[in-house]
Amino acid sequence: MAKVQGAVVVNIEECKGCGLCVVACPHDVLQLNKEVNSKGYHYSYMANPNACVGCAHCGVVCPDTCITVYRAKV
Amino acid sequence: MELKDLIKPENLVYGKTKILEDEPMHYCPGCSHGVVHKLLAELIGEMGLQEKTIGIAPVGCAVFAYKYLDIDWQEAAHGRAPAVATALIRLKPDNFVFTYQGDGDLASIGAAEIMHACNRGENILVIFINNGIYGMTGGQMAPTTIEGMVTSTTPGGRNVDLNGYPMKITNLIAQLPGTSYVTRQAVHTASAARKCKRSIKKAIENVLDKKGTSFVEVVSTCNSGWKMTPVGANTWMEDNMIPYYPLGDLKDSVKGENSSEN
Ligand SMILES: Cc1ncc(C[n+]2csc(CCOP(=O)(O)OP(=O)(O)O)c2C)c(N)n1
Ligand code: SF4
Ligand code: SF4
């Protein structure tokens, strides 16, 4: 069976650090960064990138449409 | 595969629709309004409706909705969006007209407007954001506030003897013969949001087919007004709001054929 690999790109400056994507991810890929963006929000990032399958759950629940999702067969 | 090889346009599976403006939304972090705006924007794009859509923005936190979707908009006075939508759809019957309203706007000050627009069966879509509170003005009790819920005007929790009962206005709307599709959805998980999008799509199709008023309630959070974290608000909503406002279709019919199960 072909394996899929996913990746997300977070728009750091528009992320408000709400954390909804962190709990929506079924594979514990995302965390809120210790660093903050220019508005002071702890933005989301891929803490565990290898586990991403590109399901886009994170993107769908993001109220600010900060997450772009990519997926490819490997 | 290296990330740089993966992050390429041909591998894109989810991104921001062009209908959404490049304007950061003013909503609090984690507010449901943003998710619902996005679903609407995606559908307007996917269904090719950008040129014929007219949204009616409410008074409430969504007052600036017109800044976020690249369509035509009209702002209405508090609660009056259904009256403005009535005028627009009658003057421009080939357009797609929707109202976007909170529970203070729709179920309190605008209760008469929404009832009569739905009773007349205006061919409009109503998006009803039920977050159980007046978000914009500091978290006062709304008609939809559930029993025992703490708000700034019910610091001891809503007391039904004093404050009346939480109003299931969507159930009342489903009774009206003018409505065609009446449903209650949520956007707190990816599967709920995807389901909500399918419901809004069906509602839009019904409106375009002139079947009568379509009404989509979205049980939502107002984490600032509720004084919770965004994730905590979603959990609280699931545990407390959804049992009182159960999700699912209340009516699927055509104007004049009253098939409400309630
Ligand atoms: C005629 C009038 N009365 C009262 C207000 C004050 N006001 C502004 S928003 C609002 C309530 C909004 O609550 P809701 O519709 O639930 O929307 P939310 O902010 O929760 O999204 C009120 C009472 C007003 N702007 N105009
Ligand atoms: S695409 Fe799916 S697996 Fe990848 S970070 Fe988002 S939710 Fe997690
Ligand atoms: S006050 Fe409540 S409804 Fe308004 S933007 Fe903040 S979370 Fe959303």
Side-chain angles (χ1 to χ4, degrees), chain A residues 2 4 8 10 13 17 19 24 30 36 40 47 49 57 59-60 62 65 67-69 71 73-74:
Chain A
V4 291
V8 306
V10 176
E13 278 307 309
L30 301 169
V36 293
H57 285 15
V60 171
C62 176
T65 326
I67 301 182
T68 309
V69 184
R71 182 175 59 209
K73 288 203 176 97
V74 287

Side-chain angles (χ1 to χ4, degrees), chain A residues 5-7 9 14 16 18-20 23 41 54-57 59-65 67-74, chain B residues 1 3 6-9 11-16 20 24-27 29-31 34-35 38 189-190 193-194 230-231 234:
Chain A
Q5 192 181 339
V9 176
E14 287 198 13
K16 296 174 182 167
C18 70
L20 296 186
V23 294
Y41 292 123
C55 65
H57 285 15
V60 171
V61 298
C62 176
D64 293 279
T65 326
I67 301 182
T68 309
V69 184
Y70 298 87
R71 182 175 59 209
K73 288 203 176 97
V74 287
Chain B
M1 193 187 272
L3 275 188
L6 191 52
I7 297 170
K8 285 185 174 163
N11 296 330
L12 180 76
V13 285
Y14 189 84
K16 185 168 177 167
L20 281 174
M25 294 192 192
H26 71 286
Y27 298 115
C31 175
V35 184
K38 178 176 66 174
T189 62
R194 288 184 171 114
V231 172
N234 271 347

